Amino acid sequence: KAGVTQTPRYLIKTRGQQVTLSCSPISGHRSVSWYQQTPGQGLQFLFEYFSETQRNKGNFPGRFSGRQFSNSRSEMNVSTLELGDSALYLCASSLIGGNTDTQYFGPGTRLTVL
Amino acid sequence: GQNIDQPTEMTATEGAIVQINCTYQTSGFNGLFWYQQHAGEAPTFLSYNVLDGLEEKGRFSSFLSRSKGYSYLLLKELQMKDSASYLCAVSRGGSYIPTFGRGTSLIVHP
């Protein structure tokens, strides 16, 4: 069974631009979560989608948004990029996203904002 | 809210045993995950503890004490490839998403 895939793997953008990242979960998994990882803050939760609905949201500004499609694939969008948005963005999928459900992570998208 | 603490960095010698601790304070605790993350790679699942006690999986074991809000990951017969960051994450009732600690960077040297 294929793992979680994320595209692109690397991105370089400039301040003020917007970016869209994509995540394809493991087949059969319906929950997709997004995380931002930086050396200073560790792994921080952005949002979680289940059945095309945002079910949980972390403490990030409205510039960060996402969506999920009927095939469970998910995208996240960051508008008006800031230098501080430079980070590794990880998505994780699980069967139903319950609190005992193991999350499987993708390789991440490394975003650099110049 | 939740508070999860792990040491920032640990070093150990190849072939030795190392214990990585994680303490947490949270309401409605359900269980605790451990993940391993090599530099530049995605976190990979190691274990999930719900009940008190020690669970062993090969060279890795994970322990949980719910009453003390404490867990540890025990790595035996350390190998160079065990050099990685180890993340503990707490799940609690009413939340679908676990909360991650900042991770412990383990350096294994010859």
Side-chain angles (χ1 to χ4, degrees), chain B residues 95-107:
Chain B
S95 170
Y96 289 95
I97 304 300
T99 300
F100 284 81
R102 294 195 177 189
T104 298
S105 177
L106 174 66
I107 301 168

Side-chain angles (χ1 to χ4, degrees), chain A residues 20-51:
Chain A
T20 299
L21 312 181
S22 181
C23 171
S24 292
I26 291 172
S27 177
H29 285 193
R30 296 169 62 191
S31 169
V32 174
S33 300
W34 288 89
Y35 294 86
Q36 182 194 67
Q37 187 174 38
T38 59
Q41 297 297 319
L43 206 62
Q44 296 204 294
F45 171 69
L46 281 155
F47 27 66
E48 183 243 359
Y49 286 87
F50 179 80
S51 291

Side-chain angles (χ1 to χ4, degrees), chain B residues 23-24 65-70:
Chain B
T23 59
Y24 61 88
S65 169
R66 297 173 67 106
S67 61
K68 294 182 180 177
Y70 167 67

